[in-house]
Each structure stands twice: as structure tokens, then as C-alpha cells.
Amino acid sequence: MSERFNPTSQAITAIAPSNIAFIKYWGKRDVEKQWPANDSVSMTLSESKTITTARRNLTPFDSFQMNGMTVTSKDLPEHKVFRHLNRVRDRLKLSGHLDLKSSNTFPMGCGIASSASGFAALTLASVAILTDAQSWEDLAAHGTNRETLADVARLGSGSACRSFFGGFTHWSAGATADMQKITQDFTPQHWNLADIIVVLSAEEKLVSSSQAHLAAWGSPLYPARLAGLDHRLKLVQRAIKSRDLEALGHELESDAIEMHSVAMTGSPQVNYFSPATTKFLAWVRTQRNLGQLPAWFTIDAGPNVHLICDAQQAEKIATLVKNAWSEARVITDGVGEGPRFFRGEMEKDHV
Ligand code: PMV
């Protein structure tokens, strides 16, 4: 889709991609410091994005507009966007208040990682306008390079840090909370994969991932999951390196099922699957065994399913899904670049 910009000197627009985890971040060692219990690996997406425009607000308050609703920090100081803006300003020693306007290119709050692209775009747009940056070089000159921004975005939503890099990204938990690292393992050009997102339900989930991360520690399955993840990390990194889709697919299905088993047996128990999710997963495996569907599933914190496949097979697979699941919305996504920002604002709400 074409992008039309209206360059105004007062606004900065950031466009940040979502990402899909092949090894899920699930559970935190330290909530305050956002220290994950395990390393995660993801693919940055090309179509599912958040677009956030920031303008300076000369009052001592911030405002945030999304889906036609506006909230202000005067009325709702505890809103997650305003709490994050305060963190950004505190951490990076920046000052000034903002009017923010956001939109997504995909349905939010149902397992398409809207918080990842949302907090990445929010962090980038806010820091760029508060530092008067026009480019990544300007940002780096202010002491806010890509790694620093990813690290700050992580405080809003852990998975947001991975959206700062294109291609295939690794968020390493490190030996202490301060030793976390976010790195790009491979560029988007390394492997042309697709993510067929099958939206079985666009309803917002009832339990946020923040709540579910805490519940993981109560699951008797959680220690076993954590103990096996170093091995899975090696297998997944090796599969990406050698572009071995079958090996990757095997690990990504196991990882998703494991994460959801931990959620379902946690304390409290959290169930993101809908009856349609279970039916759909069984259908995928049957079709694959019949040689019809060379794709492997993964599922974030919601009822919807991501099918990872070779980009050359994407159209065929999307058509198969649409024919068999006429009530589902099917979004074809692929491997993408990291975020970008511009001076000005989009003429249309969506890219
Ligand atoms: O970033 P959060 O707190 O929304 O947690 C993300 C959790 C998963 O999407 C399920 C897994 C992941 O690593 O993206």
C-alpha cells in the first residue's frame, strides 16, 4: 500500500512493525526491571504495524488518541501509555509533554502482538520529538541509539524490544537484569518466510499477557519448560541459519504448545485458546500430514494462529485456509525491516 505523508514541522511519525516469537518470552524473573525468565527469538513482520504521530503539547499533560478515543494524563494518569511516557522521560532525562495519535494496520489485543509494535512506535516517536531528532544518527548523538531505545521500549512491553530490529531477533535474558541484550541475528534478506495470520476471533483477550507472565510461576510445568529452552534456542538458531523450515516448524509448534500448557496450568490458570483454535490446530496437522499444507503454527497470547511458511507458498496456503475457514480473517504477512520515523504525519490512518 502506498504511504502519503503530509510534512509538517510540528509532528514526528514513527512506524514500527510487530513481531512473531518462535521461542516465546513467557514469565519474568523481575517484574520491576522487566527481566524475562528466558531468551526469546522472533521474526519481525512487514505488514502488521503501529503508526504513531507525536506532537509537543505545551500544557503539563499528555494526550493519547486511538480508534477515535482520546484520553489525557490529567484524567487517566495510570494509563499504560502515560506510565510509559513517564518512564521514557525519566530514563532518558528528557522533558516536555506530548499529544500522541496511534493506529494499527491489524486488529489489536487478540494475539498479534499489538503491544510490541505499539510500545516500539510510542517510544521511537516520543524520543525523536523530545530530542528534535531527524535521523537515527541524531538519535544516537543524543545517547539514544537503537539498542537504548529497544531497552526502554522493553519496559512498556517486553516483546517491543525485538521490534527495533528487522529480520530475526534474539532477546537474551542475561545473567542479571542489567545484562539483557537485544540483537539482530539475521537480516530480513536471509530467509523469505511468510506469516499467515489466521484471525479466528478479533475480540480483545480477557487476561493480559502482563497478568499471565506472573501466573506462569505457579505452573508445575514451568521448571521443565525453562530447563529445556537453552537446547531449543540452539535448535531454532541453527534452523534459521540453515533455512531449515521443517526443523524450525517442529520447534515453534512445541514452543507454542508448551507456553500455552504453562498458561493453562498456571496460578491462576489462563486459557487463550478458543474451541476454534483447537480445531484449527488439528486441521493444520492433518493437512500437513497429507502433504497439502507446508506450514507450522505458533500462537501468542490470544486465540489466533500464525502459520509460518515459505513466502513462495504463502498465497496457496492463504487460499487453502480461506476456503476451509470462511469465517476467519486471513492476513498474509512476511519478514520485515525495523521501525522508521519521519518528520510529518500520515495523510491516511493506515499504511
Ligand atoms: O510483551 P508482552 O508482555 O506482551 O508478552 C509477549 C508474550 C508473547 O507474545 C506471548 C510471546 C512473545 O515473546 O512475544
Side-chain angles (χ1 to χ4, degrees):
M1 227 180 272
S2 70
E3 293 168 11
R4 303 253 309 270
F5 271 87
N6 172 13
T8 64
S9 57
Q10 288 88 12
I12 288 272
T13 297
I15 304 177
S18 184
N19 66 77
I20 179 69
F22 294 166
I23 297 182
K24 309 291 183 194
Y25 145 52
W26 203 241
K28 311 179 193 212
R29 288 201 195 282
D30 187 319
V31 175
E32 204 50 36
K33 293 185 173 159
Q34 276 284 65
W35 185 23
N38 63 278
D39 285 25
S40 53
V41 171
S42 61
M43 175 171 103
T44 297
L45 299 178
S46 59
E47 304 302 317
S48 302
K49 294 182 269 208
T50 299
I51 303 127
T52 297
T53 299
R55 275 195 180 73
R56 281 194 180 263
N57 175 334
L58 298 177
T59 76
F61 298 105
D62 301 300
S63 76
F64 176 65
Q65 187 189 333
M66 186 158 206
N67 298 334
M69 296 257 298
T70 304
V71 285
T72 69
S73 60
K74 189 175 180 191
D75 299 329
L76 264 183
E78 284 307 306
H79 191 285
K80 60 186 178 182
V81 167
F82 304 134
R83 290 211 329 258
H84 189 63
L85 266 182
N86 289 338
R87 270 183 223 122
V88 168
R89 285 184 287 243
D90 285 356
R91 269 265 180 139
L92 303 175
K93 304 196 175 24
L94 297 171
S95 58
H97 288 86
L98 299 176
D99 290 326
L100 297 152
K101 188 178 168 195
S102 267
S103 61
N104 286 332
T105 59
F106 57 93
M108 62 188 280
C110 56
I112 317 181
S114 55
S115 62
S117 53
F119 279 97
L122 170 63
T123 306
L124 181 56
S126 310
V127 176
I129 196 144
L130 292 175
T131 59
D132 268 332
Q134 309 266 359
S135 64
W136 289 95
E137 288 73 25
D138 290 350
L139 284 172
H142 277 98
T144 49
N145 64 14
R146 195 180 291 263
E147 286 74 14
T148 306
L149 292 173
D151 204 49
V152 176
R154 175 180 66 72
L155 301 172
S157 163
S159 53
C161 67
R162 297 187 312 241
S163 282
F164 269 85
F165 297 86
F168 301 86
T169 302
H170 176 194
W171 173 16
S172 153
T176 65
D178 304 328
M179 289 168 78
Q180 299 181 51
K181 254 199 157 129
I182 304 125
T183 46
Q184 182 189 53
D185 277 354
F186 297 96
T187 65
Q189 290 70 36
H190 171 72
W191 196 5
N192 197 7
L193 287 182
D195 176 5
I196 314 280
I197 306 168
V198 185
V199 184
L200 297 164
S201 160
E203 270 171 39
E204 286 229 18
K205 59 195 172 204
L206 296 175
V207 184
S208 70
S209 48
S210 316
Q211 291 166 283
H213 282 299
L214 306 179
W217 293 101
S219 164
L221 307 179
Y222 196 44
R225 165 168 173 76
L226 294 179
L229 285 181
D230 278 351
H231 182 57
R232 177 164 300 138
L233 179 65
K234 286 195 188 87
L235 296 179
V236 165
Q237 287 182 320
R238 194 187 304 157
I240 297 174
K241 188 172 181 194
S242 59
R243 302 184 194 90
D244 183 341
L245 185 55
E246 220 171 306
L248 176 68
H250 184 273
E251 291 313 311
L252 70 102
E253 290 198 352
S254 293
D255 195 73
I257 299 275
E258 213 173 86
M259 179 207 113
H260 284 274
S261 304
V262 167
M264 285 180 205
T265 53
S267 177
Q269 297 156 332
V270 181
N271 192 355
Y272 287 118
F273 283 20
S274 69
T277 314
T278 314
K279 264 191 174 168
F280 187 80
L281 300 189
W283 178 81
V284 170
R285 284 189 167 169
T286 305
Q287 295 301 311
R288 195 171 63 228
N289 292 340
L290 290 170
Q292 304 290 323
L293 194 98
W296 282 261
F297 64 74
T298 182
I299 313 143
D300 274 348
N304 300 315
V305 180
H306 296 248
L307 289 177
I308 305 298
C309 63
D310 194 307
Q312 290 188 339
Q313 304 282 335
E315 210 181 302
K316 180 184 134 190
I317 292 171
T319 306
L320 259 173
V321 173
K322 281 180 201 156
N323 289 343
W325 297 80
S326 54
E327 68 284 16
R329 178 173 166 198
V330 179
I331 302 167
T332 301
D333 213 324
V335 56
E337 305 281 350
R340 31 204 190 104
F341 68 99
F342 306 87
R343 189 154 281 278
E345 64 185 312
M346 303 291 296
E347 280 192 349
K348 282 184 17 184
D349 263 359
H350 296 299
V351 219

